[in-house]
Amino acid sequence: MSISEAALQLDDLVRRVAYRRETIALTDHGHVAALLVSPHVIEDLEDTLAVID
């Protein structure tokens, strides 16, 4: 999804990420520039990495 499209629906995107743990890629000129990722997903990833360490 382009950054300009995301700006128009940011409230909906934040809810999708927060409640559905959906990751959304934001693009700039067709290239992924950023990801919207739930904090829960990041916490789970950190927990997994801590176990591996």
Side-chain angles (χ1 to χ4, degrees), residues 5-36:
E5 288 178 88
L8 297 174
Q9 46 186 312
L10 187 58
D11 56 340
D12 178 56
L13 295 177
V14 169
R15 286 184 188 92
R16 285 169 49 189
V17 169
Y19 299 116
R20 298 184 201 161
R21 294 189 179 197
E22 188 175 337
T23 299
I24 299 171
L26 303 180
T27 60
D28 186 26
H29 296 82
H31 301 291
V32 175
L35 296 173
L36 296 179

Side-chain angles (χ1 to χ4, degrees), residues 2-3 8 11 13 15 25 30-31 34 36 38-39 42 46-47 49:
S2 71
I3 294 170
L8 297 174
D11 56 340
L13 295 177
R15 286 184 188 92
H31 301 291
L36 296 179
S38 167
I42 299 299
E46 289 173 340
D47 290 345
L49 290 173

